[in-house]
Amino acid sequence: MIITKLDIETIRQDFPILKRKVNGYPLVYLDNAATSQTPKQVIDVIVDYYTRYNANIHRGVHTLSQEATDAYENARIKVQNHINAVEPYEIIFTSGTTDSINLVANGFASFLKKGDELLVSAMEHHSNIVPWQMLCERTGAILKVIPMNLEGELLIEEYAKLLSSSTKLVVCNHVSNALGTINPIEKIISLAHEVGAAVLIDGAQAAPHIKIDVQKLNVDFYTISAHKICGPTGVGILYGKEEWLAKLPPYQGGGEMIAEVTFEKTTYADLPHKFEAGTPNICGGIAFGAALDYMNSLGYEAIASYEKGLLAYATKELTLIEGLKIYGTSEHKTSVISFNVKGIHPYDIGTILDKLGIAVRTGHHCAQPVMDYFKVPGTVRASFSFYNTKNEVDILVEGVKKTIQMLS
Ligand code: 7TS
């Protein structure tokens, strides 16, 4: 039985999209690791912004501009409080995790020389691999990989052996999108710091499930995408320790990020504006703040304990299906199940599940090295949120069984 303090049926009323039908069936949305759904509390904030105070920020004396600026800066403080950053200006609004990582990768070139080393885990999303490869191409630095085992867990002893005085940066996800593994980032961060390396943690998949405390973690950079945590698409944050953000050069040039511009010389604005060139996603930032309010109104402990129950139940039921194999079997997991059924292509399973109104993701999940490691072209991935139910797990399990009957 799933023990929860959350009233799921009431919570589901907050999500208008969950009432919709797909192909004649009630939607069973199990693609939350790709993007989460949006509660009406957040939708209302978006509507309110465009209805009442849509204006550009930081530049107008007029009332609308001041209201929009206040709301946007208030959202920054909400993020700051949510992740326990020391200062609001350690929160840089970006378009999401990909943007946040590219911002750091671009600026980090000025700290690297040929032969320096960057460590990346074996279970990264492409957005936490490719920017570092590009950085290595530019600087002559070397990218090394922290290996994992067949449970989908990083080999921390091997990681410790890779660290040396040449290591300048370690990058790792907090939670793997393809496997659901929660990585021991406290250990990863402290070991990196022992050799003087900085650490960037990709928190895209952790933020919806785990309360983050950047001070406790002592992490140098941490990234979040709002759309995976009940917020809108196209907005996210980079958290950076002040000392790092102060020395990191700006990523993009343009309006808002300057102190003074002449044709001879430009000086840059203070943090956070140095990294926020151009008109940002104002409404998105404000709505992100509302999404955090929503998550906190439910409480992370309640969310985690409910999702843990769903994960255990779904794992148990799916494992009973003959020929079904789960990838990512660590004890430390969020509610993500990647699987394949012997003899059936994941795409075919996803397609038939969609006919039954069940949304899952299929493919390599932008983590091709993970698929290569497990020697599969891709997997079916069911990822659960706090608004999913045990009944929806049953529908998924029945759907997979039906698919197997149809295709074998
Ligand atoms: N890092 C991780 C761990 C992710 O899961 C994702 C998106 C990203 C980075 C990129 O985030 P973005 O908001 O900048 O796109 N992951 C997925 C996924 O698993 N399915 O669709 C998107």
Side-chain angles (χ1 to χ4, degrees):
M1 204 181 77
I2 294 163
I3 302 160
T4 175
K5 287 189 222 123
L6 299 179
D7 177 356
I8 304 304
E9 282 316 313
T10 305
I11 287 171
R12 286 178 69 84
Q13 302 300 317
D14 291 338
F15 292 83
I17 208 168
L18 298 179
K19 293 192 182 75
R20 91 157 266 194
K21 291 198 164 179
V22 170
N23 295 320
Y25 291 89
L27 169 67
V28 175
Y29 186 76
L30 303 178
D31 195 16
N32 294 286
T35 203
S36 56
Q37 293 305 343
T38 318
K40 67 177 186 317
Q41 288 84 340
V42 174
I43 298 170
D44 288 349
V45 165
I46 295 169
V47 172
D48 185 48
Y49 171 81
Y50 283 112
T51 309
R52 283 198 318 110
Y53 63 105
N54 175 31
N56 216 325
I57 55 169
H58 299 138
R59 48 189 106 188
V61 292
H62 62 81
T63 302
L64 263 55
S65 175
Q66 284 173 15
E67 286 178 8
T69 304
D70 287 350
Y72 192 67
E73 290 308 322
N74 191 34
R76 195 189 306 276
I77 291 167
K78 285 182 184 180
V79 180
Q80 177 205 352
N81 292 334
H82 186 77
I83 64 171
N84 194 29
V86 178
E87 301 289 352
Y89 52 76
E90 291 177 317
I91 309 298
I92 311 297
F93 278 117
T94 64
S95 71
T97 290
T98 303
D99 194 26
S100 301
I101 294 171
N102 276 280
L103 188 163
V104 178
N106 193 71
F108 219 83
S110 55
F111 308 138
L112 294 179
K113 58 178 187 324
K114 198 167 184 279
D116 282 345
E117 292 179 2
L118 271 63
L119 302 188
V120 57
S121 101
M123 60 173 87
E124 295 308 307
H125 187 278
H126 295 164
S127 67
N128 205 21
I129 301 174
V130 184
W132 308 115
Q133 288 174 325
M134 291 160 74
L135 174 61
C136 287
E137 270 171 35
R138 268 173 72 192
T139 59
I142 300 157
L143 197 66
K144 292 194 166 174
V145 180
I146 307 164
M148 66 174 162
N149 64 20
L150 286 168
E151 310 288 314
E153 293 169 330
L154 292 177
L155 301 175
I156 297 302
E157 277 159 31
E158 296 303 313
Y159 164 58
K161 285 186 213 155
L162 286 171
L163 286 165
S164 75
S165 57
S166 301
T167 315
K168 298 298 171 223
L169 183 69
V170 174
V171 301
C172 182
N173 55 37
H174 193 166
V175 170
S176 154
N177 72 316
L179 304 169
T181 314
I182 303 171
N183 285 312
I185 60 164
E186 296 81 356
K187 185 87 189 148
I188 289 169
I189 294 164
S190 66
L191 286 172
H193 285 168
E194 277 176 26
V195 297
V199 182
L200 177 142
I201 298 293
D202 167 356
Q205 294 293 343
H209 309 285
I210 299 169
K211 190 81 202 238
I212 295 139
D213 184 332
V214 290
Q215 289 190 62
K216 210 161 146 198
L217 288 169
N218 194 18
V219 67
D220 302 293
F221 300 103
Y222 197 97
T223 68
I224 300 177
S225 294
H227 69 95
K228 295 194 198 286
I229 176 171
C230 293
T233 53
V235 65
I237 59 108
L238 168 70
Y239 159 80
K241 269 188 195 160
E242 181 179 359
E243 59 182 280
W244 275 109
L245 292 180
K247 60 188 171 193
L248 199 70
Y251 176 35
Q252 291 179 316
E256 277 293 286
M257 54 76 73
I258 54 90
E260 212 172 304
V261 178
T262 66
F263 282 111
E264 286 70 41
K265 185 174 167 56
T266 289
T267 51
Y268 304 129
D270 291 335
L271 292 173
H273 306 294
K274 182 173 93 173
F275 294 109
E276 295 183 354
T279 302
N281 184 348
I282 302 164
C283 180
I286 296 168
F288 183 12
L292 295 178
D293 287 344
Y294 184 79
M295 295 294 289
N296 287 319
S297 76
L298 304 180
Y300 270 79
E301 260 182 48
I303 288 173
S305 104
Y306 179 72
E307 290 177 346
K308 196 173 168 199
L310 272 186
L311 174 69
Y313 180 66
T315 304
K316 178 169 110 339
E317 293 298 311
L318 285 169
T319 308
L320 292 174
I321 298 175
E322 213 185 301
L324 188 145
K325 180 174 169 166
I326 293 175
Y327 303 89
T329 47
S330 171
E331 263 178 52
H332 308 287
K333 272 183 75 170
T334 57
S335 44
V336 169
I337 303 182
S338 250
F339 65 91
N340 272 326
V341 177
K342 201 169 178 195
I344 306 181
H345 197 280
Y347 180 79
D348 293 337
I349 298 178
T351 306
I352 293 176
L353 290 179
D354 179 59
K355 297 271 178 280
L356 301 169
I358 306 164
V360 293
R361 187 173 169 183
T362 64
H364 54 61
H365 315 297
C366 302
Q368 279 181 357
V370 175
M371 302 300 126
D372 291 347
Y373 175 77
F374 286 103
K375 299 190 174 57
V376 292
T379 67
V380 182
R381 183 186 68 184
S383 51
F384 304 90
S385 176
F386 56 80
Y387 45 70
N388 290 123
T389 63
K390 190 167 168 278
N391 182 46
E392 289 181 314
V393 174
D394 292 336
I395 294 170
L396 169 70
V397 171
E398 281 314 305
V400 174
K401 286 182 184 164
K402 216 180 246 181
T403 306
I404 295 171
Q405 275 169 11
M406 284 172 71
L407 295 180
S408 50

